[in-house]
Amino acid sequence: MGQSDRRALDAMAATLSDRDIDIVRIGYPDLIGTERGRDLLVGRFARTAQDGVAFCRTVYGTTPGGDLLEIEQGLSAGLPDVIAVPDVATVRDLPWEPGVAHCIADIFNPDGTPAEESPRAVLKRMVAVFAELGMRSTVGPELEFFLLEREEASSTGWRRYGEATGNVYVTGRKGDPENLLLRALRGLDGYGLDVVAANHEFCSGQFEINMWHSEALDAADRAFRFKTAIKELARQEDKLATFMAKPFDDEGGSGFHLHFSTVAEDGRPLFDDPAGEHGLSKIAQSAIAGVLAHAPALTALANPTINSYKRFGPDSLAPWRIDWGLDNRSAMVRIPPERGHATRLELRLGDATANPYLVIAGLLGAAYLGIRDGLSVPAPLEGYGYDSAEADLLPQDLGAALDALAADTDFAELLGPRFVSTFLAYKRNELERFSRSVTDWEFREYAYHL
């Protein structure tokens, strides 16, 4: 339904005013997970937002460079609107923006139906199909990112913050000279993101902040807010936070790992079975098998940029083959050793550029198809995955991943044909634009000698 309850909006505005909040920032993700939105005055919020807030639909066809792509009901239709309707249950005060609260919006067509391109709507569809099975999905997101500081001598204008080697898992000023991570952790905690831990990651200037697990839509909402918040907090420190998959030749990439399980409507864990092979239920085994079966298509959502595939490869700490293993971090799907309520799979495929709603929707969709179809899981990986040739390689570039998504009709139909066609058009345009761009590497390689 594309309209809000006026009484709920009035009550929300009154509550915000009592807390000296005078601005509500409504935000929603575009296809690549960038936040789009608008700031509304609380005093006029209910009146303004009651029928939703209009945005041009072509926001889903706008590239990072500002080009407008043709999408269904886009340029050729005269650039019509979609309607953003605030989800009042998602209102949170912004600790670093006094007087401002944030609210996530759902996107609708003018006729009141969910906008097919909306990533949040795609995930809601996946939550609904699990509900039809009498299951609820639980997801725990883990995101890595790099912090950069200004460097005029650099060709990009930036260098890695706190440059040093061997600082994996350190805390304090050793890897974070200005204690930026502590300030970010406290700010995020005040934002209600349920962050639980933070540390310096493997690479120089790289950090990870972990969030607690929750229902799938809430987990995606928190991950979406997390990425925007980290970038805002970095800007306040005159730094740049980037979730780019692999920003440097000489360092590894940033991952987006997802811990996933299902529970029954009464809260009973459905992945655990002490009598099952490896302590896993048939449901868990079929979910793993579904993720493996649809991994090539899922890769397009989990690794959605040209740069994503430079993170892959042997000894990269990123997946390379379509496999699973028991507490094996070289596998695409890892099964952590805990059982009981903590029984889960960890999808290690995604990189930090992934749109949280889409990669979680893709994971749920693949697992659902495996459960629905009763798929059987192959034998788990033994040993080091980069030494094994027993499993197929993942798509090795964005074009191959997009082709796999287009070819996986069951997976694409589940996500929504119109969403998939828009996503494919958007990403194939990215490939086309890159193919016409001359890179620094090409100039260094050819200009002098040829």
Side-chain angles (χ1 to χ4, degrees):
M1 178 177 178
Q3 190 176 54
S4 293
D5 184 331
R6 177 62 186 258
R7 288 173 297 181
L9 295 178
D10 282 330
M12 171 182 148
T15 301
L16 292 173
S17 294
D18 290 344
R19 297 204 303 271
D20 294 323
I21 301 291
D22 66 341
I23 299 290
V24 177
R25 176 168 297 160
I26 61 169
Y28 60 92
D30 65 7
L31 281 186
I32 62 175
T34 295
E35 181 170 6
R36 309 290 179 171
R38 191 166 296 166
D39 290 339
L40 305 179
L41 282 166
V42 166
R44 298 169 182 82
F45 177 71
R47 182 186 70 186
T48 306
Q50 179 181 4
D51 296 319
V53 179
F55 290 86
C56 179
R57 182 186 293 276
T58 307
V59 70
Y60 293 117
T62 303
T63 73
D67 297 323
L68 301 182
L69 309 182
E70 181 58 88
I71 62 173
E72 189 172 345
Q73 287 295 301
L75 286 167
S76 62
L79 301 169
D81 281 342
V82 288
I83 309 298
V85 176
D87 180 347
V88 297
T90 67
V91 175
R92 302 285 185 276
D93 295 3
L94 284 174
W96 54 89
E97 293 266 16
V100 180
H102 185 272
C103 182
I104 296 174
D106 283 309
I107 308 301
F108 293 87
N109 298 314
D111 65 3
T113 58
E116 296 87 341
E117 301 90 347
S118 164
R120 199 169 193 248
V122 175
L123 177 54
K124 282 188 170 185
R125 286 199 294 274
M126 297 307 100
V127 170
V129 298
F130 264 94
E132 292 172 3
L133 296 177
M135 301 179 188
R136 290 184 286 112
S137 300
T138 299
V139 175
E142 294 180 354
L143 273 158
E144 298 167 345
F145 59 94
F146 279 89
L147 276 178
L148 311 181
E149 56 189 358
R150 295 188 184 276
E151 174 56 77
E152 292 183 5
S154 167
S155 61
T156 63
W158 301 95
R159 67 182 179 191
R160 291 188 291 260
Y161 161 72
E163 181 72 40
T165 57
N167 272 341
V168 58
Y169 298 153
V170 302
T171 57
R173 294 184 185 271
K174 185 172 187 288
D176 180 13
E178 299 175 31
N179 256 342
L180 299 180
L181 196 60
L182 285 184
R183 293 199 288 281
L185 192 61
R186 289 170 176 144
L188 295 170
D189 184 50
Y191 194 19
L193 297 189
D194 209 4
V195 294
V196 294
N199 59 266
H200 193 290
E201 249 300 331
F202 193 88
C203 302
S204 184
Q206 187 184 44
F207 299 88
E208 180 177 79
I209 296 179
N210 301 127
M211 289 174 277
W212 199 244
H213 56 267
S214 67
E215 184 273 327
L217 181 62
D218 177 72
D221 284 343
R222 289 185 294 117
F224 166 61
R225 282 175 148 157
F226 171 84
K227 293 178 77 172
T228 299
I230 284 292
K231 295 180 81 68
E232 283 291 287
L233 290 168
R235 290 184 187 106
Q236 289 192 351
E237 305 278 359
D238 196 31
K239 302 290 192 293
L240 174 66
T242 181
F243 292 89
M244 184 176 173
K246 194 176 189 306
F248 305 103
D249 290 343
D250 60 340
E251 285 285 13
S254 290
F256 187 176
H257 299 164
L258 295 170
H259 292 255
F260 166 68
S261 63
T262 62
V263 297
E265 292 175 346
D266 61 3
R268 177 171 44 89
L270 296 175
F271 276 13
D272 179 61
D273 182 358
E277 190 173 13
H278 312 300
L280 300 173
S281 69
K282 293 294 186 184
I283 290 173
Q285 293 178 44
S286 290
I288 296 166
V291 173
L292 299 181
H294 299 281
L298 176 57
T299 302
L301 304 179
N303 308 98
T305 70
I306 293 166
N307 176 258
S308 295
Y309 298 84
K310 296 180 180 179
R311 171 178 164 266
F312 282 1
D315 303 319
S316 63
L317 300 180
W320 193 37
R321 294 188 178 275
I322 302 171
D323 52 16
W324 73 288
L326 301 169
D327 199 14
N328 189 330
R329 284 181 169 83
S330 67
M332 187 192 81
V333 175
R334 168 181 172 257
I335 308 302
E338 299 92 342
R339 292 295 181 266
H341 279 273
T343 307
R344 64 197 188 276
L345 68 81
E346 179 191 10
L347 179 68
R348 297 177 59 80
L349 174 62
D351 67 62
T353 60
N355 183 325
Y357 295 98
L358 297 183
V359 68
I360 293 175
L363 169 58
L364 265 61
Y368 166 81
L369 290 172
I371 295 169
R372 185 199 70 180
D373 298 339
L375 298 184
S376 298
V377 72
L381 168 71
E382 297 287 345
Y384 192 45
Y386 303 115
D387 293 338
S388 170
E390 296 177 1
D392 292 336
L393 284 174
L394 287 159
Q396 296 297 293
D397 57 64
L398 180 60
L402 296 177
D403 290 345
L405 175 58
D408 193 336
T409 53
D410 282 351
F411 187 66
E413 184 68 27
L414 192 64
L415 293 172
R418 180 160 163 180
F419 159 73
V420 170
S421 67
T422 301
F423 183 84
L424 290 173
Y426 188 100
K427 285 296 170 179
R428 283 173 172 155
N429 174 267
E430 184 176 324
L431 286 168
E432 181 184 348
R433 287 184 288 114
F434 181 74
S435 72
R436 298 195 303 265
S437 178
V438 178
T439 65
D440 291 345
W441 183 91
E442 290 170 285
F443 189 87
R444 289 194 304 269
E445 187 78 3
Y446 306 131
Y448 180 75
H449 293 286
L450 300 179

